[in-house]
Amino acid sequence: MNKEEFYKICQKLILPLFTGSYIDGEEPSSLRDNEIAYGKQNSLLIKPDKSDEYRLVLKRGQPFQAFEVNLLKSIITEINIISGLDLNDENYTMTLQTHAIEKAICSSITTEEGASTLVGLVNEMSSWANRTYEGSKVDIGIIVNQSVEAEEDSLHFSNLLDKDFFCLLSDGRNSFVEFDINGYLIGHVQINKIKMMPTIAPREYEQVARYCNDRRIGLVLTHSGDILIFKNRQLLFSKRRGVWNVYSHDEIIQLLSYRGNYSSKEIRKAIYYTALDCAFAYSGGIIVYLNKDMEEAALTYINANDILDERYYLIKKKMELENANKLYNLPSLKATEEQFQYGYEQFLKEHHCYKSQALSKIIAGKNFAELNRKLRQELVAMDGATIVDFDGTIIAVGAILKIEAGSEGGGRLAATTTLARCGNALKISQDGIIQAFTSDKRSSKPKNIFNVG
């Protein structure tokens, strides 16, 4: 594989899989160097063949995890096989390379025999994603247990998964059909009472994430047709809209501190988990995490009626009074001064701000990370933006922002990129894609810091 071809494959197939990664040049290499090796400062050195005299520097903010390195090794192996076929049809080659990603994903988390089983199970689930049972889409859950061997007379998954009755045996949340590493049936698993332990997964799938340790792999086909893969108590991969995604959770949580000198990891985790929940619930939403000292800038886009914190309400009213004093012949100036005298609760009552009154009562002074995870998801799903300051104080929920003229994109994207000037803004679309933006000091346009499919 020549260098130009390898660069192209990296740009099209490899970088999109590893959130926040980029090619940071290249360096000389020799026969003594492996195709994949750890480099300096959270980087990997990669080349397609041991004989190549260069290695690309793949870099990002957080260290690459072991499963990601294994995945990259598997991808290089599979792509080299395809390159060796010497195909003339570029479109066919790209199709094979895309399928190679699927095989590499399965190979990165289990043995060679297990990878074959996982590929077969994923293919059968992909078929079910396009089928219905009695007119309805189905949810399917499968556990591949790498520690238990099925009995000799057990059925193989290839005799089961395409049958109509199979889709009724599991729900992908609490009940699962269990197979061994070679694809033979072990039995049935109920996982509705699993010991609490740290997980990283959409809220609906926390139970299966907890159950899937380093010896168990969970496969879930959701009602929406997504295929999810769990291991090591986290969501590792998903296939959504026909595209595979790799979840570099730690990298994304770190990226949420971009240019934020006072960011809290607990708040960043809460924001990311909530975005993940909304994405897999297909509910959409906007979450804005403000940088320290950018609160007043953000308040210029927020209506006082939407503010849920008394301190920020007082700052907003002071800003309105100062702006009014700058204008000439303003007959309503006195009214503005009187309005500024209102206490926060009186203002909400006088202006019939029922939503803000209700939300203030429900939030009860808690910061964003302290709220129940389900409640956070429900708040963010409201039409408008959820805005959180650097220490987690909830400034507004469902806020309809004042968008400046000339903003590009739809209303949700315009609102997200507008508030990105004040911190990190996440847009969760109703098709489940998370996009994050922040301000770019080099230009007036917002900078995209990551996308998660």
Side-chain angles (χ1 to χ4, degrees):
M1 185 188 308
N2 62 47
K3 186 188 294 188
E4 183 181 352
E5 184 182 358
F6 188 55
Y7 261 98
K8 186 177 179 181
I9 287 171
C10 286
Q11 293 289 352
K12 285 192 173 183
L13 296 177
I14 294 177
L15 292 184
L17 287 173
F18 300 97
T19 304
S21 65
Y22 59 96
I23 296 174
D24 189 28
E26 61 181 72
E27 63 176 46
S29 182
S30 69
L31 280 171
R32 293 174 297 178
D33 297 322
N34 293 324
E35 292 89 337
I36 311 290
Y38 283 102
K40 298 177 181 178
Q41 298 179 338
N42 305 332
S43 68
L44 289 177
L45 306 174
I46 64 174
K47 60 181 180 178
D49 189 84
K50 201 169 178 64
S51 63
D52 286 312
E53 297 179 347
Y54 72 96
R55 291 192 293 187
L56 302 187
V57 181
L58 189 66
K59 197 170 183 179
R60 71 177 188 191
Q62 289 287 100
F64 286 88
Q65 298 182 41
F67 86 90
E68 294 173 308
V69 175
N70 290 336
L71 172 58
L72 195 49
K73 288 178 180 177
S74 298
I75 290 173
I76 298 297
T77 298
E78 295 298 328
I79 286 175
N80 273 328
I81 292 171
I82 295 167
S83 179
L85 297 176
D86 196 25
L87 300 170
N88 295 320
D89 188 331
E90 187 174 338
N91 290 329
Y92 183 51
T93 301
M94 182 57 70
T95 300
L96 288 178
Q97 289 172 343
T98 302
H99 285 297
I101 296 294
E102 188 166 293
K103 186 178 178 183
I105 282 172
C106 295
S107 299
S108 69
I109 56 174
T110 187
T111 62
E112 186 175 341
E113 296 82 2
S116 178
T117 298
L118 288 182
V119 169
L121 290 170
V122 167
N123 286 338
E124 293 288 353
M125 282 188 157
S126 297
S127 296
W128 268 111
N130 297 313
R131 289 174 59 181
T132 60
Y133 179 78
E134 295 187 349
S136 299
K137 290 288 188 179
V138 300
D139 299 84
I140 295 175
I142 292 172
I143 298 294
V144 177
N145 193 325
Q146 301 180 96
S147 301
V148 178
E149 190 173 330
E151 297 176 358
E152 289 186 8
D153 59 348
S154 290
L155 290 165
H156 193 261
F157 74 83
S158 58
N159 301 121
L160 297 172
L161 261 71
D162 61 342
K163 306 298 188 292
D164 282 352
F165 75 87
F166 186 83
C167 70
L168 304 175
L169 297 176
S170 62
D171 64 9
R173 290 174 178 79
N174 299 308
S175 60
F176 291 77
V177 179
E178 189 174 28
F179 295 92
D180 71 8
I181 194 67
N182 296 307
Y184 290 96
L185 180 65
I186 296 174
H188 193 265
V189 177
Q190 291 284 338
I191 59 171
N192 52 348
K193 290 185 179 180
I194 304 298
K195 183 181 178 182
M196 290 289 290
M197 56 187 65
T199 60
I200 306 180
R203 186 187 59 80
E204 281 191 275
Y205 302 99
E206 280 188 294
Q207 293 282 15
V208 63
R210 289 194 188 106
Y211 187 75
C212 293
N213 55 20
D214 61 336
R215 301 302 299 163
R216 302 189 192 103
I217 300 169
L219 304 177
V220 174
L221 172 65
T222 73
H223 207 72
S224 303
D226 300 334
I227 297 175
L228 316 181
I229 300 181
F230 299 87
K231 192 185 178 188
N232 298 329
R233 298 195 171 90
Q234 59 184 305
L235 172 67
L236 292 183
F237 310 105
S238 75
K239 187 179 183 182
R240 312 181 78 194
R241 303 171 307 282
V243 177
W244 280 101
N245 303 282
V246 180
Y247 291 89
S248 306
H249 303 292
D250 291 339
E251 172 67 13
I252 293 169
I253 291 167
Q254 179 61 30
L255 285 171
L256 284 173
S257 67
Y258 191 83
R259 299 194 188 282
N261 296 327
Y262 299 91
S263 68
S264 159
K265 186 172 183 179
E266 286 306 308
I267 304 301
R268 284 186 271 124
K269 284 171 62 177
I271 288 171
Y272 173 56
Y273 289 5
T274 304
L276 208 58
D277 295 342
C278 290
F280 281 87
Y282 288 91
S283 58
I286 299 172
I287 313 175
V288 183
Y289 184 34
L290 300 179
N291 289 343
K292 187 175 175 61
D293 301 326
M294 292 301 292
E295 300 94 339
E296 286 197 21
L299 287 174
T300 61
Y301 302 104
I302 305 170
N303 193 297
N305 293 17
D306 289 324
I307 295 176
L308 303 180
D309 181 81
E310 183 172 11
R311 179 168 62 93
Y312 284 109
Y313 161 78
L314 293 174
I315 294 172
K316 175 69 175 179
K317 301 315 291 182
K318 184 177 181 181
M319 290 169 59
E320 289 181 351
L321 180 62
E322 289 173 351
N323 288 334
N325 282 327
K326 293 177 183 177
L327 301 177
Y328 296 101
N329 302 318
L330 186 67
S332 61
L333 178 57
K334 185 177 180 182
T336 304
E337 289 173 340
E338 291 174 354
Q339 191 180 53
F340 180 66
Q341 300 304 316
Y342 286 173
Y344 175 61
E345 293 184 6
Q346 183 186 356
F347 172 82
L348 295 181
K349 290 178 181 178
E350 291 278 345
H351 290 78
H352 308 295
C353 303
Y354 300 125
K355 183 183 78 171
S356 294
Q357 286 179 279
L359 292 176
S360 294
K361 183 73 172 178
I362 290 168
I363 292 169
K366 295 179 180 177
N367 76 28
F368 192 73
E370 292 171 338
L371 294 179
N372 175 276
R373 189 165 170 177
K374 174 62 173 171
L375 175 57
R376 293 202 306 256
Q377 178 187 334
E378 290 164 341
L379 294 175
V380 171
M382 288 184 179
D383 188 26
T386 296
I387 301 164
V388 179
D389 77 3
F390 70 97
D391 68 356
T393 299
I394 302 169
I395 297 175
V397 169
I400 306 303
L401 306 178
K402 299 173 184 176
I403 306 301
E404 295 179 355
S407 297
E408 298 179 356
R412 185 171 282 167
L413 179 59
T416 306
T417 53
T418 295
L419 262 296
R421 300 172 185 177
C422 307
N424 298 316
L426 283 70
K427 169 185 175 285
I428 308 107
S429 64
Q430 289 188 312
D431 59 1
I433 297 173
I434 305 171
Q435 295 174 282
F437 300 88
T438 194
S439 59
D440 188 349
K441 291 183 177 180
R442 297 179 182 179
S443 70
S444 59
K445 293 184 177 181
K447 176 181 180 178
N448 180 219
I449 51 176
F450 65 79
N451 296 322
V452 181

